[in-house]
Amino acid sequence: MKIRIKFTKTGRLRFIGHLDVMRYFQKLMRRAGVDIRYSEGFSPHQIMSFAQPLGLGDTSEGEYVDIDVLSTASSEEMIRRLNEAGKEEIRILKYVKIADETRRSNAMSNVAAADYRVYFRGGLPDSNMLAAFFAQENIPVSKKTKTKEEIVDIRPLIYDWGLEEEGLFLRLSAGSAANLKPDTVMEAWNAFSQKEGQAAEAGHSEGGTQSFPYHFHRLELYARREGQLIPLYALGEEIKEESAE
Amino acid sequence: MKELALSEEILLRVEKPARYIGGEINAVIKDPSQVDIRFAFCFPDVYEIGMSHLGIQILYDMFNRREDVWCERVYSPWPDLDRIMRDEHIPLYALESQDPIRDFDFLGITIQYEMCYTNILQVLDLSGIPLWAAERTERDTIVIGGGPCTYNPEPLAPFFDLFYIGEGETQYDALFDLYKEYKKGGKSREDFLLACASIPGIYVPSLYAPSYKEDGTLAAFTPIAEGVPAKVRKELVLSMDEAPYPDKPLVPLMQVTQDRVTLEIQRGCIRGCRFCQAGQIYRPVRERSLDFLKEQAIRMLESTGCEEITLSSLSSSDYSKLKELVYFLIDETHVRHVNISLPSLRIDAFSLDVMSKVQDIKKSSLTFAPEAGTQRLRDVINKGLTEEDILRGASEAFKGGWNKVKLYFMLGQPTETDEDVRGIAELAERIAEVYYEIPKEERHGKCQITSSTSFFVPKPFTPFQWAPMNTAEEFLRKAYLVKHTMRSQLNQKSLRYHYHEADVSMLEAALARGDRRLAPVIYRAYRKGCIFDAWDEYFSNEKWMEAFAEEGVDMDFYSVRERDLDELLPWDFIDCGVTKQFLKKEYERALQGIVTPNCREQCNGCGAAVFGGGVCFENKN
């Protein structure tokens, strides 16, 4: 049986890397007594797959991992057990059973989009200029790979944006087909705002934060179903007490 | 979110910020206003190394069982953060509370190897604690050292207020109680330190004064205050099952060097290899019971969720219930999908069976530590392993499907000749020959025999504590001789050989058998920028040599010089149970090539029976 788990990564734990998160979950499964399925072979490992690694230092309330279990208690009970054995900075929010049709695909290959909130360490940018930035028909950025450098237009990959009280909301294309990282958007914004003659405020703020002007917070990951974006957890269903195996 | 001592910006700038955030699974958080004593436990090396250390886990757990003590941890900031903390005047802090170390009552430093000495100064310096104990005032943190290097604490003596000699489980309660009494009574630091000298195992370096002869050797080493004992006897645990052991060890949030549950099965060693310090200072052997270990293994696996468990001890093959324990663990870990990492075992039918069950034969290798290339020299060093044992073990293993062997040797042990040196390569060759004697169709490709040599460093409290050490030139000549001999043999393509530079070993030797006159050298080396000397990429022999020269200290006097058997040694004031007389006798037997039986074969009267327990009293009830 396939289970999808949604969790947060906040506070001091945003300074642990993606591989550390994987190791964290491997140990958490044992401490919480999750009846996880192991691979065959000499050194069996847990069947576990993570969606979309988060950058070191970024926070999230929309992280996902899929696991295979042999048996399970109800969603409520499993969330309780996992949170009891885990750290408060990695909170388990959802524990759902994935329907059979999505069984073959894992959390990673489901991902189509992601929501972010960008916090500005040096204060919010000018809203008119931001609007002008997103109003562009094309936003070309240069993308370096190991062998070549090419120009890619990222504008079509920005699905939505909005300036909120706390920061900038972004909905970006994500996943294996066309992944756009929020860092790339903000680099383009930096270039744009500087070209417009006004240096990005964040770049000149007090407190020596120039090298890291933004803090990215992931809000949700989405899959696409019949043209609609739906949160990854919504592809699964809650396990009620009576149906627990 | 709880506040971190370092800003987000700094954490993003440094390599592996997870080293500095604390918050590990099973870390202990207390309310500082509800405790009497704040204790910071330091392993003076990088987080990944320090977090792999069992001793801190044991004492961390034990201290925190006391309601009036909050024990936290601190490790050496890596050079990238070190730079930033200096530039931005950020005081070093403890991981749990993120509070500055300088506000703690105690800073306890475990001293595991000589090459971390400059890191000790780094930790003191970054904490804002005066480096020299004599310059510390009433409000300064009390700095206490422990661990194997404190069996000769003298090169570090001026930097410490106290040393704890021996196993930590026994006297810390007394120390904490005394501290509380003095704190409440408003008494001075000086009074407290003087009172500490009466606690068994506690050495207060400021209360002793050395004097030297014209030839530079020690003339006398005496207490300078009333009531201070002339000798400090090491502390040790007698009943291992009753000693505290953590049920919930700390689990790091990042990958560390040894990310697993460690089960300490026994302390001490019955063998008495003459180069080995651990084999003497942890005498007598004391075992934990099988029942205790079984229960503890399960408790720790459940509380940590670790994917691996390992056994810790010297010479694990000598643990009397090893078979039962290992087969129990194999069954238990199989059910839990956990791996067992085996310590190196004597190669026989049992260990090969166990290894084939828990390791992938194709990937794993056999390990032997003959330590010397010829039987003659192995008799000198009292290493029981014979060539026959090795060849028989290798042959059985090759038939069982293994084709990789690792061999560990030391160069430069007393009486070593070129024949012994060439013997290293020749032993490797003979093992390869054993492999190629197997019919081709039963072999698994080529074999790979990897030999590594380290340079022998004479250590205090060993029969070789008086022995001369080779010079760096001699060491390298011998290493080339091994290499050359390897290359000239028939199976050279199956033989690999590793050795390293000799400079670090020379320095290690000087510090290991040094006295207080080395403290200014360590200080100067630190001021020149030496830290992380145990790391090749940071070790600067040049700076160390400058420090010796500028302090006018002759390094050879400490490293290569042969000591007279009657010389007063800087560590003679420590009583580790094993007597100087026994060590002398062992040194003489070594020079004659006479082996000494192990503790279970026959008691050799080393002196450790004075503690009234362990192997000395087995089968005597």
Side-chain angles (χ1 to χ4, degrees), chain A residues 11-16 20 23-24 26-27 30-31 38 42-44 56-57 85-89 121 208-209 211-212 215, chain B residues 1-2 4 8-9 11-12 17-18 21 23 25 251 253-255 259 302-307 336-338 356 358-360:
Chain A
R12 65 179 79 187
L13 263 59
R14 72 187 185 280
F15 296 109
I16 72 170
D20 295 328
R23 278 188 282 267
Y24 173 88
Q26 286 161 8
K27 292 187 172 90
R30 290 203 188 83
R31 289 199 306 273
Y38 284 80
F42 222 101
S43 37
L56 191 75
K87 302 283 305 174
E88 62 179 56
E89 295 94 337
R121 293 202 170 95
T209 55
S211 35
F212 304 97
H215 164 194
Chain B
M1 194 189 96
K2 290 177 205 92
L4 293 169
E8 192 175 25
E9 194 262 339
L11 286 165
L12 289 173
I21 59 173
I25 310 292
V251 183
L253 297 169
M254 65 177 285
Q255 191 165 31
D259 185 5
E302 284 177 350
S303 68
T304 61
C306 279
E307 39 279 297
R336 293 166 190 269
H337 303 281
V338 170
S356 68
V358 306
Q359 297 169 350
D360 187 343

Side-chain angles (χ1 to χ4, degrees), chain B residues 315-378:
Chain B
S315 189
S316 300
S317 291
D318 293 326
Y319 176 62
S320 60
K321 305 281 189 329
L322 187 70
K323 245 181 223 182
E324 292 93 321
L325 178 63
V326 169
Y327 286 126
F328 168 81
L329 288 176
I330 287 178
D331 290 344
E332 202 52 49
T333 54
H334 184 74
V335 177
R336 293 166 190 269
H337 303 281
V338 170
N339 303 319
I340 308 184
S341 161
L342 291 174
S344 76
L345 297 174
R346 196 182 313 130
I347 303 299
D348 55 20
F350 161 67
S351 58
L352 291 174
D353 175 55
V354 168
M355 285 164 68
S356 68
K357 285 196 167 89
V358 306
Q359 297 169 350
D360 187 343
I361 295 180
K362 273 181 238 123
K363 287 181 194 150
S364 66
S365 57
L366 265 311
T367 303
F368 294 98
E371 307 292 359
T374 61
Q375 195 56 47
R376 186 201 71 79
L377 192 53
R378 282 194 293 273

Side-chain angles (χ1 to χ4, degrees), chain B residues 548-601:
Chain B
F548 273 98
E550 289 165 22
E551 288 296 333
V553 173
D554 174 16
M555 186 170 152
D556 290 350
F557 176 83
Y558 294 101
S559 57
V560 300
R561 181 176 64 94
E562 180 172 7
R563 275 63 166 174
D564 194 279
L565 285 178
D566 298 325
E567 184 174 329
L568 181 63
L569 302 169
W571 52 93
D572 277 350
F573 73 95
I574 291 175
D575 170 9
C576 81
V578 176
T579 61
K580 197 170 180 181
Q581 188 195 346
F582 172 76
L583 295 175
K584 268 184 201 168
K585 196 177 84 192
E586 276 295 288
Y587 188 34
E588 279 153 12
R589 285 167 73 94
L591 298 178
Q592 295 164 41
I594 304 170
V595 298
T596 296
N598 74 49
C599 297
R600 285 215 173 91
E601 290 167 340

